[in-house]
Amino acid sequence: MKEYSISTILAQAGHFVDSGTGAVTPPIHPSTTFVRGDDYELIGEYIYSRDQNPTYDQVEHLTAELDGGAEAKLFSSGMAAITAVFETVNMGQHIVAPTIMYHGAQDWLRRIAKKRGIGLTLFDTTDQNAVRHAIKPGKTALVWIETPVNPTWDVIDIAVAAEAAHDAGAILGVDCTVSTPITTRALDFGADLVFHSATKYLNGHSDVTAGILVTRTTDKRWEEIKFIRKHVGGVLGAFESWLLLRGLRTLSIRFERASYNALKLAQHFEGHPNVETVLYPGLESHPGHMIAKRQMSNGFGGMLSLCVKGGATEAKTIATRLKLFASATSLGGVESLVEHRASVEGPMSQVPPNLLRLSVGIEDVNDLIADLELALEIH
Ligand SMILES: *Cc1c(COP(=O)(O)O)cnc(C)c1O
């Protein structure tokens, strides 16, 4: 069969046409249970929706195809998916993760890993050799990275991390929430597992909380992850799964527009008198730009940060003066958001106090520039 490009596959929800009715839109299957036939054998492959349901299947097939993986599994949130991976690490084993990463996942590692006797080493995301030094051969079971790293957008070289993990007998899991498979397919660079908080770009409309894992191979660890989802019950539900499928159909066009807008903003505000630095992997001045060019093949994404002149007070004042950028957490929706991360993450946060994180939406970029210009006039 001809290999279609990602945007074609997405637009057609995986070439969907319902063979029974001719419908071009995939159906919702809200049923929690599935009958058996006269011979007491199952009619299809479904038994009960805590395990599997045809509507989850539609999303899982599509996302496995996007990332080029063997299988995908859908979860009730990003954290439900991440913790299912962490749960596969046993007492006495070791996990490696970045110092700056999605703070919810790091919170879990700091608290639960310690309680369960799992070792944890955090590595500096600005040093590409740091990941190899953090690994303990024979003990490290999982290297978990995120790229670009939220909210400094440091870029971690996936191929380098994969090689370091594999040399030590560990696997590499990559949080690709911010890059999405539109621009980075982590399995192509040697990752074993890819994670997306589908709450963000994949759904894209700030109205579904969901997580997705994609695996390179259906090995023992993957069987364990499936066992965890089935027994913990972190499934999404048919209606949300269907909404997510609907959101996915426009992912490529949304991501491309957000990337275009973010690059324009980054270029416009670099060198602005009230801005100390603009952090965006698409800027040549960004330390991770060369790696980003290699592993982000279709845009640098819609996330950037502005370190403003001054400290936390100035940053928060600017956030409240913005009219188009709503002051709210989360990212990857069609509407632009701003957040003062240091306030949200609390005292353990490594994020600079003058940093404002922008999730750039798909609005007209000139309106966004004008909004920021006005808010920055405070100084
Ligand atoms: C939001 C987010 C998560 C967690 O996903 P939820 O859907 O909120 O549980 C993990 N990683 C990154 C990078 C995120 O932005």
Side-chain angles (χ1 to χ4, degrees), residues 77-79 82 102 146 175 177 195 197 199-200 210 331:
S77 71
M79 283 302 291
I82 293 179
Y102 182 70
E146 182 178 321
D175 181 339
T177 300
F195 160 77
S197 167
T199 314
K200 316 294 169 52
L331 59 97

Side-chain angles (χ1 to χ4, degrees), residues 242-368:
W242 186 86
L243 260 185
L244 171 55
L245 188 63
R246 179 182 164 133
L248 275 163
R249 300 181 73 162
T250 55
L251 171 64
S252 68
I253 195 167
R254 284 185 286 102
F255 186 82
E256 280 163 24
R257 175 63 172 260
S259 293
Y260 171 85
N261 283 357
L263 181 61
K264 288 267 176 199
L265 282 169
Q267 287 168 341
H268 183 91
F269 288 99
E270 192 173 39
H272 185 284
N274 290 336
V275 175
E276 206 175 84
T277 37
V278 177
L279 304 173
Y280 185 65
L283 289 177
E284 276 174 28
S285 59
H286 190 276
H289 183 65
M290 290 314 288
I291 307 166
K293 267 181 38 183
R294 231 181 13 251
Q295 72 186 28
M296 301 179 88
S297 55
N298 193 17
F300 299 99
M303 297 303 298
L304 72 141
S305 297
L306 299 181
C307 293
V308 299
K309 294 257 169 79
T313 312
E314 285 77 8
K316 281 192 275 189
T317 308
I318 290 163
T320 55
R321 281 171 56 105
L322 286 163
K323 293 205 164 59
L324 280 180
F325 289 83
S327 270
T329 195
S330 199
L331 59 97
V334 288
E335 67 287 310
S336 293
L337 302 175
V338 60
E339 186 170 51
H340 184 246
R341 286 299 298 171
S343 294
V344 176
E345 294 186 14
M348 288 294 283
S349 176
Q350 311 245 356
V351 176
N354 63 337
L355 182 147
L356 285 176
R357 183 182 87 175
L358 304 180
S359 171
V360 182
I362 65 167
E363 301 93 338
D364 187 310
V365 71
N366 293 316
D367 291 337
L368 298 176

Side-chain angles (χ1 to χ4, degrees), residues 4-233:
Y4 293 108
S5 81
I6 279 188
S7 49
T8 304
I9 295 165
L10 283 169
Q12 303 201 352
H15 335 298
F16 179 84
V17 175
D18 186 79
S19 53
T21 62
V24 296
T25 297
I28 305 179
H29 290 277
S31 192
T32 55
T33 190
F34 300 85
V35 294
R36 289 170 181 267
D38 293 339
D39 51 2
Y40 211 70
E41 292 298 316
L42 291 169
I43 290 177
E45 49 195 285
Y46 306 101
I47 302 174
Y48 186 56
S49 289
R50 178 159 39 70
D51 183 18
Q52 202 54 30
N53 167 293
T55 312
Y56 316 161
D57 259 2
Q58 292 167 351
V59 179
E60 289 169 356
H61 284 148
L62 187 57
T63 47
E65 199 173 345
L66 290 186
D67 266 310
E71 264 184 33
K73 276 279 162 190
L74 183 57
F75 290 77
S76 54
S77 71
M79 283 302 291
I82 293 179
T83 54
V85 178
F86 292 171
E87 291 282 356
T88 64
V89 178
N90 298 324
M91 195 171 95
Q93 292 184 319
H94 178 248
I95 297 177
V96 167
T99 44
I100 298 190
M101 62 185 281
Y102 182 70
H103 75 120
Q106 197 178 84
D107 267 0
W108 193 98
L109 286 174
R110 284 179 187 278
R111 285 190 200 195
I112 311 294
K114 199 166 174 189
K115 200 164 93 177
R116 295 195 183 161
I118 296 167
L120 173 65
T121 303
L122 302 178
F123 69 93
D124 177 3
T125 52
T126 59
D127 174 3
Q128 299 300 327
N129 299 315
V131 61
R132 186 175 283 276
H133 294 143
I135 292 172
K136 299 182 199 271
K139 278 200 95 176
T140 305
L142 172 69
V143 177
W144 185 261
I145 63 169
E146 182 178 321
T147 185
V149 177
N150 185 0
T152 56
W153 320 115
D154 289 335
V155 184
I156 300 178
D157 195 319
I158 301 170
V160 167
E163 200 184 307
H166 296 157
D167 284 352
I171 67 151
L172 177 71
V174 184
D175 181 339
C176 273
T177 300
V178 168
S179 48
T180 82
I182 298 297
T183 200
T184 302
R185 298 210 320 177
L187 299 180
D188 295 348
F189 295 95
D192 302 285
L193 281 174
V194 176
F195 160 77
H196 305 287
S197 167
T199 314
K200 316 294 169 52
Y201 285 105
L202 268 45
N203 180 63
H205 295 75
S206 307
D207 54 11
V208 171
T209 304
I212 285 168
L213 291 174
V214 186
T215 188
R216 166 197 295 288
T217 51
T218 51
D219 52 8
K220 252 181 72 194
R221 183 182 304 269
W222 186 247
E223 287 310 315
E224 199 181 341
I225 287 170
K226 292 203 279 192
F227 174 91
I228 291 165
R229 189 187 75 165
K230 179 175 166 181
H231 290 80
V232 176

